[in-house]
C-alpha cells in the first residue's frame, strides 16, 4: 500500500481508500483499497473499491459526499459518495495519457460504479494528477499543501489562489508523504492521514503503513498537527510525575518496559546542554543551543515558549511519531526496534532538566 486516497466521512463512518496492490507486496497493479472505521482507530478492510481499466492504473484522488446530488448519481435514499481520481495510462499498450476519472457509490461506499463518460478531464500537462475535490465556500484562510507536506497560506476566490506566506513544513520526519484530509467531518475538524513512506518490514506478509490520524489547526500563521483525541481510548496504565529535577545519569522512567506508549511531557529548560528520550533504542534529542528536536537524523525547529517545551511521543511497534509544542512541529519516523529491547529512558546531559509534568501511558493494541 502507499498513498491514502478518498478520505471521507459519511453516516458515522470514516472511509480510508488507499493505493493498493492486492496480489503482491511490491508496487504495481494499483487499485483503490478500502477500509472503514467509526473511531479512526479500529479499521475494517472491505472489498477493493476501484480496479484498473482500459484507461490505466488507479492512481490517487479524493472523495466527497454529494449532499445535493449535483452529479446526478443518486438512485436511492443514501447520498452518493463521489470519487475523482487519476488513471495512469503510461503502462498501457499502447501508452495513454494520464487522465482524471469519476466513480460513485449509492450504498455507503460498499460498491462503486465508474462514470460512463470517463475520463472527465484530459491531461493538462505531464505529471498533473491526483485531484483533491472540495466544495468551495468563501472563508478567511486557505492552506495549499503538496505531497511532501510543504504548505503555503493564502486566499482563494474559487478560481485563483493568492499566496500570503512563504513555504513551511507540516512534518520534518523522513517518513511522511502524500497526506490527505477527510472531507465532510462534523464540527469543522480537519483530520489528516499520510503514507508512512519507505518503510522496511523484512519477513512480513505486508508492506507499508499509514500514520496515525492527526487533527490540523491553524495557529499564529502556522499549520499545527496533533494526534486526534480519539487515541485516548487506547490508554491503559498511566505513570505520572510532576516537578521532577533530572540530573545527568538519572533515568526517572527506568523499569517501565513495553512496545506501545503515548508519552506527554512539559519540560522546563535548565542548565543542561541536551535532554531527551530513548524509546526502544530510538533517540529523541533536544539541543538547547539550537532550539531543535532531533530524531532519526532529522531535526525540527522547536523554540521554547516561556522557557519550556512540550513533547508528545507516540510509539508503535514499527514507528515513532513526535509532536512539539502541541503540534507546532511534527516528525514521523519508521523504525524497527529489536524485539528484546523494550526499554524507555529520559536523560539530561551536561546539567539538570526539570520535568514540569510527565505522563507515560501504556497503550492497548486496539
Amino acid at each position: 500500500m502507499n498513498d491514502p486516497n478518498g478520505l471521507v466521512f459519511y453516516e458515522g463512518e470514516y472511509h480510508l481508500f488507499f493505493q493498493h496492490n492486492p496480489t503482491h507486496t511490491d508496487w504495481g497493479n494499483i487499485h483503490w483499497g478500502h477500509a472503514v472505521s467509526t473511531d479512526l482507530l479500529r479499521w475494517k478492510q472491505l472489498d477493493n473499491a476501484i480496479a484498473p481499466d482500459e484507461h490505466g492504473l488507479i492512481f490517487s484522488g479524493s472523495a466527497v459526499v454529494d449532499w445535493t446530488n449535483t452529479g446526478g448519481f443518486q438512485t436511492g435514499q443514501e447520498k452518493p459518495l463521489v470519487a475523482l481520481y487519476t488513471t495512469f495510462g503510461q503502462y498501457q499498450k499502447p501508452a495513454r495519457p494520464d487522465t482524471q476519472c469519476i466513480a460513485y457509490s449509492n450504498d455507503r461506499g460498499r460498491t462503486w460504479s465508474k462514470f460512463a463518460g470517463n475520463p472527465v478531464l484530459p491531461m493538462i500537462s505531464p505529471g498533473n494528477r491526483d485531484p483533491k475535490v472540495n466544495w468551495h465556500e468563501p472563508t478567511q484562510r486557505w492552506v495549499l499543501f503538496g505531497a511532501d507536506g510543504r504548505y503555503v497560506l493564502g486566499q482563494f476566490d474559487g478560481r485563483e489562489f493568492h499566496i500570503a506566506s512563504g513555504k513551511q513544513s507540516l512534518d520534518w520526519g523522513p517518513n511522511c508523504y502524500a497526506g490527505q484530509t477527510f472531507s465532510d467531518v462534523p464540527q469543522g475538524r480537519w483530520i489528516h492521514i499520510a503514507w508512512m513512506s519507505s518503510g522496511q518490514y523484512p519477513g512480513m506478509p505486508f508492506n507499508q503503513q499509514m500514520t496515525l490520524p492527526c487533527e490540523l489547526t491553524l495557529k499564529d500563521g502556522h499549520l499545527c498537527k496533533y494526534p486526534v483525541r480519539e487515541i485516548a481510548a487506547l490508554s491503559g496504565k498511566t505513570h505520572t510525575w510532576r516537578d521532577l529535577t533530572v540530573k545527568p545519569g538519572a533515568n526517572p522512567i527506568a523499569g517501565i518496559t513495553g512496545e506501545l506508549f503515548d508519552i506527554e511531557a512539559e519540560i522546563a529548560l535548565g542548565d543542561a546542554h541536551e535532554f531527551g528520550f530513548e524509546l526502544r533504542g530510538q533517540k529523541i534529542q533536544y539541543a538547547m543551543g539550537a532550539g531543535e528536536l532531533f530524531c532519526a537524523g532529522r531535526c525540527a525547529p522547536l523554540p521554547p515558549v516561556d522557557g519550556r517545551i512540550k513533547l508528545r511521543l507516540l510509539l508503535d511497534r514499527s514507528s515513532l511519531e513526535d509532536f512539539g509544542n502541541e503540534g507546532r512541529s511534527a516528525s514521523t519516523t519508521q523504525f524497527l526496534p529489536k524485539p528484546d529491547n523494550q526499554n524507555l529512558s529520559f536523560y539530561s546531559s551536561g546539567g539538570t532538566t526539570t520535568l514540569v509534568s510527565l505522563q507515560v501511558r501504556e497503550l492497548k493494541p486496539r
Side-chain angles (χ1 to χ4, degrees):
M1 64 187 301
N2 48 291
D3 301 13
N5 293 157
L7 307 187
V8 63
F9 179 87
Y10 178 66
E11 292 295 323
E13 287 184 323
Y14 294 91
H15 293 261
L16 168 64
F17 302 91
F18 49 93
Q19 295 286 282
H20 177 48
N21 182 351
T23 59
H24 206 279
T25 55
D26 289 339
W27 187 92
N29 187 31
I30 298 299
H31 294 56
W32 268 25
H34 188 195
V36 294
S37 174
T38 58
D39 62 2
L40 292 167
L41 302 174
R42 301 166 181 88
W43 294 89
K44 178 181 179 182
Q45 188 168 354
L46 304 180
D47 293 339
N48 294 325
I50 307 175
D53 56 26
E54 70 274 15
H55 300 296
L57 302 179
I58 310 303
F59 268 32
S60 291
S62 54
V64 293
V65 181
D66 190 355
W67 294 105
T68 59
N69 195 29
T70 56
F73 300 123
Q74 186 171 348
T75 58
Q77 295 300 311
E78 297 287 352
K79 299 299 183 183
L81 302 184
V82 180
L84 186 65
Y85 57 92
T86 292
T87 46
F88 190 78
Q90 296 180 29
Y91 294 150
Q92 300 297 97
K93 295 181 179 179
R96 292 170 173 255
D98 302 341
T99 54
Q100 319 307 319
C101 293
I102 283 177
Y104 58 92
S105 172
N106 279 301
D107 58 1
R108 299 173 56 244
R110 269 51 185 181
T111 60
W112 288 80
S113 301
K114 293 174 181 175
F115 177 52
N118 282 338
V120 296
L121 288 173
M123 184 175 71
I124 299 171
S125 63
N128 184 242
R129 56 182 175 86
D130 304 343
K132 171 65 175 175
V133 180
N134 60 280
W135 184 268
H136 174 253
E137 295 281 0
T139 58
Q140 292 180 334
R141 291 288 183 93
W142 283 75
V143 179
L144 178 65
F145 69 88
D148 63 358
R150 302 288 300 279
Y151 69 91
V152 294
L153 306 181
Q155 302 290 335
F156 181 58
D157 61 10
R159 291 184 178 273
E160 293 185 0
F161 184 87
H162 302 279
I163 296 175
S165 72
K167 286 185 180 180
Q168 303 180 68
S169 290
L170 180 63
D171 192 291
W172 296 84
N175 302 115
C176 185
Y177 193 74
Q180 284 203 17
T181 55
F182 283 89
S183 65
D184 296 280
V185 177
Q187 301 172 334
R189 300 174 72 192
W190 289 99
I191 297 173
H192 176 273
I193 289 179
W195 167 38
M196 197 172 286
S197 58
S198 303
Q200 301 294 322
Y201 309 88
M204 292 293 103
F206 62 89
N207 195 9
Q208 309 301 318
Q209 70 185 74
M210 297 296 177
T211 63
L212 286 165
C214 289
E215 189 160 351
L216 303 183
T217 55
L218 197 59
K219 299 178 181 177
D220 301 322
H222 298 283
L223 193 59
C224 296
K225 169 184 167 185
Y226 205 62
V228 293
R229 55 181 177 260
E230 285 84 350
I231 289 175
L234 299 180
S235 293
K237 184 177 181 180
T238 301
H239 311 265
T240 302
W241 295 261
R242 293 193 180 278
D243 298 320
L244 178 65
T245 298
V246 181
K247 298 179 180 179
N251 175 20
I253 58 177
I256 301 175
T257 61
E259 294 181 306
L260 311 174
F261 291 95
D262 181 358
I263 299 172
E264 285 191 79
E266 183 174 359
I267 303 162
L269 308 188
D271 57 3
H273 300 147
E274 175 189 303
F275 61 81
F277 290 86
E278 186 168 342
L279 308 179
R280 303 193 67 191
Q282 181 66 263
K283 269 195 170 184
I284 305 96
Q285 306 160 273
Y286 187 77
M288 299 282 277
E292 294 176 324
L293 190 67
F294 292 82
C295 183
R298 299 290 186 95
C299 65
L302 188 61
V305 177
D306 297 327
R308 299 180 178 186
I309 66 164
K310 294 181 179 180
L311 295 179
R312 178 89 178 266
L313 310 173
L314 286 166
L315 178 67
D316 207 339
R317 290 192 178 97
S318 60
S319 62
L320 172 64
E321 298 176 61
D322 64 73
F323 307 87
N325 289 346
E326 298 176 325
R328 179 62 182 81
S329 75
S331 183
T332 301
T333 303
Q334 192 275 340
F335 81 108
L336 293 177
K338 293 181 179 179
D340 59 350
N341 183 354
Q342 299 191 3
N343 301 318
L344 311 181
S345 66
F346 178 86
Y347 70 93
S348 180
S349 177
T352 62
T353 301
T354 298
L355 288 166
V356 178
S357 63
L358 173 63
Q359 288 189 326
V360 177
R361 291 186 283 269
E362 301 178 20
L363 294 181
K364 297 173 286 189
R366 277 196 302 176

